[in-house]
Amino acid sequence: MLIAIHAGAGPVSSDLERHERESREALLRALSTARDLLEHGAAAVAVVAAAVEILEDFEGFNAGRGAALCSDGTALLSASIMRGFDRAAGAVAGLRTTKNPVAAAEAVLATDQVLLIGEPADVLAAENGVEQRPNDYFITEYAISRLREELTAESRGTVGAVCVDVNGELAAATSTGGITGQPPGRIGDSPLIGAGTWADARVAVSCTGDGEAFIRAGVARYIAALVEDGAELEQACARAIGCVSELGGTGGLIACQPERAVCMPFTTEAMPRGLWRAGADPRVWVTDSE
Amino acid sequence: MLIAIHAGAGPVSSDLERHERESREALLRALSTARDLLEHGAAAVAVVAAAVEILEDFEGFNAGRGAALCSDGTALLSASIMRGFDRAAGAVAGLRTTKNPVAAAEAVLATDQVLLIGEPADVLAAENGVEQRPNDYFITEYAISRLREELTAESRGTVGAVCVDVNGELAAATSTGGITGQPPGRIGDSPLIGAGTWADARVAVSCTGDGEAFIRAGVARYIAALVEDGAELEQACARAIGCVSELGGTGGLIACQPERAVCMPFTTEAMPRGLWRAGADPRVWVTDSE
């Protein structure tokens, strides 16, 4: 059993430093909740959803409350989730009112659809009992100040989780508010199965970084195809991240396999992240040098 | 030089038979236009866009005018396009008013974004001079009758094109109206780079079929990864289509490489499709047995 989580990849910024202590606490809360669930036999897909909800609720990360704001000052939220053993997937893009976007993605996973966009996705979430909030709920003073200062480089983060449950089954989930100042309607890799999120029987992946480069590299599906063809996880992740770099993008990802292999590569200065494995203590890291 | 096109994969239905002669004519028009452009040195990305626009304009195919209708009776249009040599990509999902969705995707390709959803995507297209129409323009009597009769199985088709230009460069494009009776907001694989559409320096792919299964199989990116690792195109396509079948889906795809390798596999009874190669006559096919 293991759970790995991330909360975006970017520079060592004032944003990061301002929130560092609370960020580490939020990562530990997510790991702790995930561990409890895993030790009680919860399925991987429920565990990644629960972990990501905690990261969404912490306003220091760019997902759920505290998300980066579009150029028109609104929050536009997206998320996806995928279950490894049957490749069931759910994704939502362009949410405005769902408190926990990953819960909306989980609601879509239970339907015949995979991706719902816009208001119908909020409506489906609400019909499934997922809490709704006015768009103002997501908008923090700090996010407004970032929009005012056009600190786009600092807000490319997303949050995500990958997991191996007690049965050796995998899941992955990712959630984001996008990029500060993005045009309304712009969607990155986070809600795209195969770009920002993937899980099959062999590997689970959640990405963060320059969304457009991650889409154009098809990062998560690329890693899975390489692993299927016999590549080591570390080598597959390195090739995928290399592909993003060739396209001029930076970022990171977390990936795991049933045999407890875990990779958490990133090409930025920092990627707040955490890992818990059965029998060990939860650990969190922020920068590369730790 | 070559251009391959498709117009959906499905059963030999009354829908198909009703439109067969005009469908073949539309496919030939698209091939003929593409050939003229290619012979005049046009770039692959412009050629696939032009071919797909012709397929969108023909109301017998499920893209642009004549698209399948959502459960609320409206048309919801999506498309994507990708250029091989630099992997530039553009995609739009949930359009309501852009006459040629692939032209909107091409407009996004020219921006820093890759995927725009909803009204902002229509607005960007309009700002780039792409013709707009009221949503009624897309809604044909025939599409209304299909919605009334819930003929969902007959309307999974999309249209798409892959191309090798005079410089040996690749591009792919895909456009769709989705599934008859789909919930508003439901998006399939067609606008998703890596699922329904892909182009890099080695291979270009455009898919059609059960969108959810194609997303969960990550078809287009999977083929590209296998080809990069040395698989023959035919073998890579077979593995990807096999993956869709394992997930309970049917459909087809067109794929090509610079060395003039072309594959057009499908697991349905029919997939209207066409091919032109430099030095040969354009050809079109509809069923498997032709």
Side-chain angles (χ1 to χ4, degrees):
Chain A
M1 291 189 292
L2 72 83
I3 173 89
I5 57 178
H6 71 78
V12 175
S13 61
S14 58
D15 186 10
L16 184 73
E17 287 170 351
R18 177 178 186 271
H19 289 298
E20 183 165 347
R21 200 173 62 91
E22 304 97 306
S23 296
R24 288 175 182 272
E25 287 168 4
L27 291 167
L28 283 171
R29 272 201 307 282
L31 290 177
S32 168
T33 297
R35 178 182 61 185
D36 287 351
L37 287 167
L38 286 167
E39 288 180 338
H40 285 84
V45 74
V47 175
V48 292
V52 167
E53 286 199 22
I54 289 169
L55 302 176
E56 286 173 341
D57 287 344
F58 173 58
E59 68 179 69
F61 297 146
N62 175 16
R65 180 164 162 80
L69 303 180
C70 295
S71 58
D72 65 359
T74 64
L76 189 76
L77 308 152
S78 299
S80 61
I81 189 165
M82 191 166 186
R83 181 166 67 199
F85 78 85
D86 62 354
R87 295 196 193 181
V92 287
L95 298 180
R96 294 282 186 194
T97 60
T98 299
K99 175 174 167 281
N100 288 103
V102 74
E106 214 182 352
V108 175
L109 182 144
T111 70
D112 290 338
Q113 286 82 49
V114 167
L115 174 57
L116 277 187
I117 65 171
E119 195 183 349
D122 282 317
V123 170
L124 178 87
E127 287 171 356
N128 281 270
V130 180
E131 282 181 73
Q132 301 293 302
R133 293 283 187 278
N135 197 254
D136 286 350
Y137 161 81
F138 302 99
I139 302 173
T140 59
E141 281 302 314
Y142 192 65
I144 293 170
S145 73
R146 282 184 296 181
L147 178 61
R148 200 175 297 130
E149 296 161 32
E150 295 182 351
L151 295 176
T152 59
E154 297 194 3
S155 57
R156 299 232 166 131
T158 63
V159 304
V162 296
C163 180
V164 184
D165 68 20
V166 68
N167 297 314
E169 281 164 6
L170 300 171
T174 312
S175 180
T176 194
I179 302 175
T180 294
Q182 71 184 2
R186 177 266 178 189
I187 299 297
D189 63 312
S190 302
L192 303 190
I193 299 298
T197 302
W198 184 266
D200 58 26
R202 296 177 193 87
V203 63
V205 183
S206 171
C207 300
T208 177
D210 294 318
E212 279 72 10
F214 276 73
I215 296 172
R216 292 164 57 208
V219 170
R221 184 65 181 99
Y222 186 38
I223 291 171
L226 297 176
V227 166
E228 182 186 325
D229 261 10
E232 295 292 324
L233 184 61
E234 194 172 335
Q235 175 200 354
C237 292
R239 277 176 69 179
I241 288 283
C243 185
V244 171
S245 298
E246 280 168 28
L247 295 172
T250 63
L253 62 87
I254 54 176
C256 68
Q257 291 191 277
E259 309 77 34
R260 297 168 46 111
V262 176
C263 281
M264 302 197 279
F266 54 101
T267 58
T268 51
E269 292 175 326
M271 182 173 80
R273 59 204 185 279
L275 174 66
W276 174 78
R277 292 176 192 269
D281 286 329
R283 287 198 60 190
V284 301
W285 304 264
V286 172
T287 59
D288 194 13
S289 53
E290 286 179 277
Chain B
M1 292 189 292
L2 72 84
I3 173 89
I5 57 177
H6 71 77
V12 175
S13 61
S14 57
D15 186 9
L16 184 72
E17 287 170 351
R18 177 179 186 272
H19 287 299
E20 182 164 347
R21 198 172 63 90
E22 304 97 307
S23 296
R24 288 176 183 271
E25 287 167 4
L27 292 168
L28 282 171
R29 272 201 307 282
L31 290 178
S32 168
T33 297
R35 179 183 58 183
D36 287 350
L37 287 167
L38 285 167
E39 288 180 339
H40 285 83
V45 73
V47 176
V48 292
V52 167
E53 285 199 21
I54 289 169
L55 302 175
E56 286 174 341
D57 286 343
F58 173 58
E59 68 179 68
F61 297 146
N62 175 17
R65 180 165 163 80
L69 302 180
C70 295
S71 58
D72 65 359
T74 62
L76 190 76
L77 308 153
S78 300
S80 61
I81 189 164
M82 192 166 186
R83 181 166 66 199
F85 78 86
D86 63 353
R87 295 197 194 181
V92 287
L95 298 180
R96 295 283 186 193
T97 60
T98 299
K99 175 173 168 280
N100 288 103
V102 75
E106 214 182 350
V108 176
L109 182 143
T111 70
D112 291 338
Q113 286 82 49
V114 167
L115 174 57
L116 277 187
I117 65 172
E119 196 183 349
D122 283 315
V123 170
L124 178 86
E127 287 172 355
N128 281 272
V130 181
E131 283 181 72
Q132 301 293 301
R133 292 284 187 277
N135 197 253
D136 286 351
Y137 161 81
F138 302 98
I139 302 173
T140 59
E141 282 301 316
Y142 193 64
I144 293 169
S145 73
R146 282 185 295 180
L147 179 61
R148 201 176 296 131
E149 295 162 31
E150 295 182 353
L151 295 176
T152 59
E154 297 193 5
S155 56
R156 299 232 167 134
T158 63
V159 304
V162 295
C163 179
V164 184
D165 68 21
V166 69
N167 297 314
E169 281 165 5
L170 300 170
T174 312
S175 179
T176 194
I179 302 175
T180 293
Q182 71 184 0
R186 178 266 177 189
I187 298 298
D189 62 314
S190 301
L192 303 190
I193 299 299
T197 302
W198 184 266
D200 58 26
R202 296 177 192 87
V203 64
V205 183
S206 171
C207 301
T208 176
D210 294 318
E212 279 72 12
F214 276 73
I215 296 172
R216 293 164 57 208
V219 169
R221 185 65 182 100
Y222 186 38
I223 291 171
L226 297 176
V227 166
E228 182 185 324
D229 260 10
E232 294 293 324
L233 183 62
E234 193 172 336
Q235 174 200 353
C237 291
R239 278 175 68 179
I241 289 283
C243 185
V244 171
S245 298
E246 280 168 29
L247 296 171
T250 63
L253 62 88
I254 55 176
C256 68
Q257 291 191 279
E259 308 78 33
R260 297 167 47 109
V262 176
C263 280
M264 302 197 279
F266 53 102
T267 57
T268 51
E269 291 175 327
M271 182 172 81
R273 61 204 183 280
L275 175 66
W276 174 78
R277 292 176 191 268
D281 287 330
R283 289 198 59 189
V284 302
W285 303 264
V286 172
T287 59
D288 194 12
S289 54
E290 285 179 277

